[in-house]
């Protein structure tokens, strides 16, 4: 059984975080965004057996509420509870009572994660990704 450890990211983690992100989106276009999140202490990492296999980034300027902007898990580490643990850890330490996040309508696995954690749907945004609406989710801390 893999041991999951969740902690706040530091700059020494940037290359590993960016590598996980690149494995998922097939480019490194978000590396500067990830660096900024780390510098602002708005990035959590998830380690499986000591290796960074996932991360979560957030911000707190979504109508003065927390918004989980990214939950990324390495393809080889999926279905091991890492995304759920990252989200639960964040909810437990969220600086705001209300926590929002979103996923595409086509992302059924992420919708199942939100449902399993008690999030409720809070709306849909069209026209972000053509033909794949963004579903907004909400939970109260």
């Amino acid at each position: 059984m893999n041991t999951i450890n969740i902690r706040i990211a530091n700059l020494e983690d940037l290359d590993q975080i960016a590598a996980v992100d690149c494995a998922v989106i097939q480019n490194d276009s978000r590396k500067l965004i990830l660096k900024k999140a780390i510098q602002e202490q708005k990035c959590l990492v998830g380690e499986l057996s000591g290796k960074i296999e996932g991360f979560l980034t957030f911000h707190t300027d979504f109508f003065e509420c927390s918004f989980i902007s990214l939950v990324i898990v390495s393809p080889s580490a999926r279905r091991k509870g890492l995304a759920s643990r990252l989200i639960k850890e964040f909810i437990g330490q969220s600086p705001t009572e209300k926590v929002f996040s979103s996923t595409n309508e086509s992302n059924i696995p992420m919708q199942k994660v939100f449902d399993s954690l008690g999030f409720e749907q809070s709306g849909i945004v069209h026209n972000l990704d053509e033909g794949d609406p963004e579903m907004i989710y909400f939970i109260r801390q």
Side-chain angles (χ1 to χ4, degrees), residues 16-85:
Q16 289 181 72
I17 292 168
V20 169
D21 194 44
C22 188
V24 173
I25 67 168
Q26 303 300 307
N27 66 62
D28 64 354
S29 63
R30 296 194 290 217
K31 191 167 185 177
L32 289 178
I33 293 167
L34 296 171
K35 181 178 181 182
K36 183 175 188 243
I38 293 167
Q39 289 171 322
E40 294 175 353
Q41 295 192 324
K42 293 183 177 178
C43 180
L44 301 178
V45 293
E47 299 171 318
L48 282 174
S49 301
K51 181 181 178 200
I52 293 174
E53 295 284 6
F55 66 91
L56 175 153
T57 63
F58 69 94
H59 57 85
T60 55
D61 55 2
F62 182 74
F63 299 96
E64 299 180 15
C65 296
S66 293
F67 191 95
I68 298 169
S69 47
L70 290 173
V71 179
I72 303 291
V73 174
S74 174
S76 63
R78 291 186 179 158
R79 312 248 351 121
K80 297 180 181 175
L82 190 52
S84 294
R85 282 285 307 278

Side-chain angles (χ1 to χ4, degrees), residues 83-99:
S84 294
R85 282 285 307 278
L86 281 161
I87 294 168
K88 282 196 272 190
E89 182 73 22
F90 175 71
I91 292 168
Q93 65 185 34
S94 172
T96 66
E97 181 184 351
K98 294 179 181 180
V99 176

